[in-house]
Amino acid sequence: MKKILVLLLTSFYMCASGTETILFVGNSYLYYNDSLHNHLRRMVEEKNPSRKENMGYKSATIGGSILAHHDLKHLLDSKNIGIDQSFELVIIQGGSGEVLDEDSRTSFEINANKMIKQVKNKGGEALLYMIHPYMPPHELYDPKMIEKIRYTYINVGNKNNVLVAPIGLAYMNAYNERPDIKLHKSFDGSHPDLLGTYLAACVLYATIYKKSSLEVDYNYFDAVSLEDQKFLQTIADKTVNEFFERSSIKLPIKNPIIAPGNLKNE
């Protein structure tokens, strides 16, 4: 049993400057449902319309990939993928299988360390995207998978002094409040459905900009109902607030939130 402390930063650089160039690196968990980077960009553009032309959001994804599959050096030369300015923030999302056993977690840590170093050497900041766990009917469904995910991402985040966006915890908190909500694709219990992607965008918005996602009106062109929108925004804000122990976002949740604590390293 190893105690992992959540990385807490009192002043994240993006709060002051406003991040406008972001690279997403991952797999199909990012590109499902019109791609996560599009949803986050639309949220940010809504609140900063005058800066719309300055924003450069790119997503580089490989289906079924793990961290080792990505040529980050090529991607960080932003002109290779159509962005003139260097990326201020790189969001790194690992494969779901990279948390399942000790060997996989070790490989994840080695490759994440390498990628984070590359990002910092280029003058940017990295953020780890804590993935969501499998749900039924996935053949590898394990109700304790979230603990493996949480340990893996917080461990690497702390060792590298980078933030972790608690998407996986937000999924579980949403299911705790509304077991009937559809965050995963029903056919595989792995990939996000639209509401799962929307929840992830809200978590990223609250994590990166330290603002409540409830201020955002964007609902994917009315594809997300008002009830679902407000519920997911509340879950996202509460999860981020608890995860970073912030006092600026105080929203009621009926049941206890999952918070970082003693995490198991098998």
Side-chain angles (χ1 to χ4, degrees), residues 134-158:
Y134 301 141
M135 294 294 285
H138 198 283
E139 61 181 4
L140 296 179
Y141 166 69
D142 175 2
K144 295 182 179 180
M145 184 178 176
I146 187 60
E147 294 298 326
K148 298 176 182 179
I149 292 170
R150 183 168 59 173
Y151 169 80
T152 302
Y153 280 82
I154 294 175
N155 178 46
V156 174
N158 285 344

Side-chain angles (χ1 to χ4, degrees), residues 157-181:
N158 285 344
K159 287 182 177 179
N160 288 278
N161 197 38
V162 298
L163 289 181
V164 177
I167 285 90
L169 298 181
Y171 265 66
M172 300 312 295
N173 291 333
Y175 280 130
N176 182 46
E177 290 294 308
R178 281 180 49 186
D180 61 331
I181 196 166

Side-chain angles (χ1 to χ4, degrees), residues 37-231:
H37 79 291
N38 286 327
H39 294 284
L40 180 62
R41 175 179 53 79
R42 291 167 187 145
M43 291 178 176
V44 176
E45 287 179 352
E46 174 193 307
K47 309 309 296 184
N48 302 274
S50 65
R51 303 298 299 169
K52 183 175 180 179
E53 297 304 317
N54 300 85
M55 294 179 186
Y57 284 41
K58 286 287 186 175
S59 184
T61 57
I62 304 172
S65 68
I66 59 175
L67 294 187
H69 294 162
H70 297 283
D71 183 359
L72 189 60
K73 181 180 179 180
H74 175 80
L75 297 172
L76 288 176
D77 187 350
S78 57
K79 292 183 179 179
N80 288 334
I81 52 176
I83 297 290
D84 291 333
Q85 294 178 309
S86 297
F87 290 110
E88 298 169 85
L89 177 67
V90 178
I91 297 173
I92 299 171
Q93 176 250 315
S96 56
E98 292 188 277
V99 304
L100 298 181
D101 55 58
E102 188 172 356
D103 288 344
S104 297
R105 291 192 289 271
T106 298
S107 177
F108 173 88
E109 181 174 342
I110 291 170
N111 286 290
N113 292 345
K114 177 182 175 181
M115 295 174 80
I116 292 167
K117 184 177 180 180
Q118 288 178 298
V119 172
K120 290 184 176 181
N121 285 344
K122 290 287 288 186
E125 294 288 340
L127 183 149
L128 293 174
Y129 178 106
M130 183 194 292
I131 61 171
H132 57 264
Y134 301 141
M135 294 294 285
H138 198 283
E139 61 181 4
L140 296 179
Y141 166 69
D142 175 2
K144 295 182 179 180
M145 184 178 176
I146 187 60
E147 294 298 326
K148 298 176 182 179
I149 292 170
R150 183 168 59 173
Y151 169 80
T152 302
Y153 280 82
I154 294 175
N155 178 46
V156 174
N158 285 344
K159 287 182 177 179
N160 288 278
N161 197 38
V162 298
L163 289 181
V164 177
I167 285 90
L169 298 181
Y171 265 66
M172 300 312 295
N173 291 333
Y175 280 130
N176 182 46
E177 290 294 308
R178 281 180 49 186
D180 61 331
I181 196 166
K182 187 180 179 183
L183 304 178
H184 288 73
K185 293 293 186 185
S186 59
F187 59 78
D188 67 2
S190 175
H191 291 91
D193 210 331
L194 174 60
L195 295 186
T197 295
Y198 187 84
L199 174 59
C202 291
V203 171
L204 287 175
Y205 185 89
T207 298
I208 295 170
Y209 298 102
K210 292 184 70 174
K211 295 181 179 180
S212 170
S213 64
L214 278 164
E215 73 177 15
V216 175
D217 293 326
Y218 171 76
N219 59 5
Y220 193 36
F221 314 110
D222 297 327
V224 178
S225 71
L226 181 61
E227 178 185 3
D228 287 339
Q229 177 189 6
K230 296 306 177 186
F231 171 73

